[in-house]
Amino acid sequence: MNHFISLKYFSANQIQDLINLAMRIKAAPLDSKSSLAGKSVGLIFEKSSLRTKTAFYLGALQLGAYAVYYSPDEVKLGQRESISDVARTLSGYLDAVVLRTYSHSSILEFAQASSVPVINGLSDFLHPSQALADILTIQELKENIKKVKVVYIGDGNNVCNSLIYAFSILGGKLTLAIPQDYLPSVDVLNEAKDYAKISGSEIEIADSIEEAASGADVLYTDVWISMGNEAELRERKKAFKNYQINGKILQLAKEDVIVMHCLPAHRGEEITDSVIESKNSVVFKQAQNRLYTAKAILSYILKEWAK
Ligand code: CP
Ligand code: NVA
C-alpha cells in the first residue's frame, strides 16, 4: 500500500522524486490539471488546520480529483465509530485519505484497515508533508541542502521529528537546540544515526541556542505548545523561555540566513514579531510550498506508483 505516513519509509531518491515532482507542478500547474480526474480524496481532521487542509483539499481539486473534508466534530474517530470501521467504509468510496490526528497510533490503525492510501496530515509524532515542503523551500533558496547549516530551535515535536527523518535520509547538517526534557525520542535519534551511515548526514544536539545559531544558513522554529499540549502551557512556557528566535539570535547567524516556521506562529514566544517580519523570514514562501508538495504527494501516491 502506498501510504505517506512517515518519511522513514522513503528512500533518499524517492523523497527527491517527490520534491522534483513538486517543482514541476509549481512551474507548470496547468500541466497536471486533469491528472487525477475521477479520483476522490477524503480529509479527516481531528485538529484545526489552515495550510494542510487548504494544500490537500485545493491540491486535489487542482489535479482534477474530488475532495471531501470532515471537520473535527464530524467523524469522531474511535468515539462515534471504530477507526477500523471508518477506514473500511471510506475505502469503498475514496481513493486516498488525508488524516490529521492527535495520536499517531490512530493513523497506523487506520492505515492497517484501509485498502486505499493514507496520508499523514500531522499527528502528535510526525508531520511529514510539512518537512517535504521545508526541504523544497531550502533547496529553492539555498540550492544544496547538504551544504548548509540548518538549525532547529525549540520543541522536539512532530515537525522536528519529521525534519530529523528528512535530513538523516537525504544527508545534510541539522543542528538541534532543544531543552533536555523536550528532546526528540531516543528511537528517532537512533534511527537517524543509522540513516546517517548511508547519507552522511550530521544530526547534532547543541549545548546552547547561541552555539547552534552561530553561522547558521537556516533558522527554523515551531510553537512551544503544540495542539494537544495545551494542559502543559505553564511548564512549557517556562522551559522554552530562552529558546526564542529573536534579534540577538538572528545576529549570530549568517547575514543571508533564512528564517523558517511551519506556522501558525505564536509571536513573542518561539519567535519575535520583528524576526518573522524581517527580510530573512521566508515563512509565507514556505507555506505556499505546502500546496505544491501536497499535490506531489497526491500525484505520486495515486498515479505514479499505480503505473
Ligand atoms: N503548518 C501547518 O501544518 O499548518 P496548519 O496546522 O494550519 O495546517
Ligand atoms: N507542532 C505543531 C505544528 C502545527 C502545524 C502542532 O502540532 O500543533
Side-chain angles (χ1 to χ4, degrees):
M1 184 63 58
N2 312 323
H3 300 305
F4 183 82
I5 292 177
S6 169
L7 290 176
K8 80 174 189 180
Y9 302 123
F10 292 78
S11 67
N13 283 340
Q14 287 174 320
I15 296 174
Q16 197 53 55
D17 283 349
L18 276 162
I19 302 277
N20 294 345
L21 185 55
M23 287 168 97
R24 290 206 300 278
I25 289 170
K26 182 173 182 174
L30 295 181
D31 288 358
S32 52
K33 80 175 186 333
S34 309
S35 60
L36 295 186
K39 303 280 187 195
S40 302
V41 178
L43 295 91
I44 303 179
F45 280 46
E46 288 186 335
K47 297 169 171 168
S48 303
S49 174
L50 178 69
R51 283 144 288 268
T52 309
K53 175 185 169 179
T54 311
F56 281 103
Y57 190 97
L58 188 62
L61 297 185
Q62 289 182 353
L63 294 168
Y66 302 104
V68 189
Y69 170 72
Y70 307 90
S71 71
D73 280 339
E74 285 178 79
V75 180
K76 295 191 181 296
L77 283 175
Q79 296 173 45
R80 182 171 184 265
E81 204 168 353
S82 77
I83 292 177
S84 157
D85 283 359
V86 175
R88 286 179 293 170
T89 301
L90 288 181
S91 293
Y93 299 132
L94 301 170
D95 297 290
V97 181
V98 183
L99 271 181
R100 170 168 284 202
T101 61
Y102 281 94
S103 168
H104 190 67
S105 63
S106 299
I107 296 187
L108 298 178
E109 197 180 330
F110 195 104
Q112 188 75 33
S114 175
S115 49
V116 300
V118 171
I119 295 167
N120 181 352
L122 181 147
S123 68
D124 58 353
F125 177 50
L126 295 172
H127 197 3
S129 67
Q130 177 68 53
L132 203 62
D134 299 339
I135 298 293
L136 169 61
T137 309
I138 297 170
Q139 250 184 234
E140 281 179 338
L141 297 169
K142 295 285 174 192
E143 285 172 29
N144 189 343
I145 72 150
K146 293 190 180 183
K147 293 203 170 143
V148 287
K149 180 180 180 184
V150 180
V151 179
Y152 177 92
I153 295 170
D155 188 14
N157 61 14
N158 45 9
V159 168
C160 178
N161 287 336
S162 283
L163 286 172
I164 292 174
Y165 282 141
F167 275 86
S168 59
I169 294 166
L170 290 171
K173 193 171 158 69
L174 178 65
T175 304
L176 308 171
I178 297 174
Q180 192 65 33
D181 291 344
Y182 295 91
L183 285 172
S185 78
V186 174
D187 287 349
V188 172
L189 293 171
N190 283 340
E191 285 172 290
K193 272 188 202 143
D194 285 343
Y195 303 143
K197 285 178 199 149
I198 299 164
S199 69
S201 84
E202 291 170 53
I203 312 289
E204 291 175 359
I205 300 172
D207 290 332
S208 71
I209 169 170
E210 288 82 8
E211 178 198 309
S214 171
D217 298 282
V218 179
L219 289 176
Y220 193 121
T221 192
D222 184 18
V223 291
W224 296 339
I225 301 141
S226 284
M227 293 178 279
N229 292 147
E230 292 80 3
E232 299 168 23
L233 186 134
R234 280 164 67 100
E235 64 207 75
R236 281 180 170 266
K237 279 196 174 178
K238 207 168 137 201
F240 287 107
K241 73 176 188 324
N242 295 323
Y243 288 77
Q244 181 190 62
I245 303 187
N246 51 36
K248 204 179 97 215
I249 295 301
L250 194 64
Q251 282 293 315
L252 298 172
K254 288 200 182 133
E255 205 180 328
D256 64 349
V257 64
I258 56 169
V259 176
M260 300 179 69
H261 191 310
C262 58
L263 302 178
H266 291 175
R267 292 161 191 241
E269 293 186 9
E270 74 278 0
I271 192 161
T272 58
D273 197 47
S274 64
V275 170
I276 204 166
E277 295 297 342
S278 72
K279 64 174 180 16
N280 301 89
S281 170
V282 298
V283 297
F284 297 110
K285 280 195 174 110
Q286 183 186 357
Q288 193 184 355
N289 278 338
R290 295 294 309 281
L291 175 63
Y292 312 117
T293 41
K295 289 170 79 170
I297 294 165
L298 289 169
S299 302
Y300 202 70
I301 275 178
L302 286 174
K303 195 152 168 281
E304 301 259 322
W305 285 2
K307 272 181 195 164

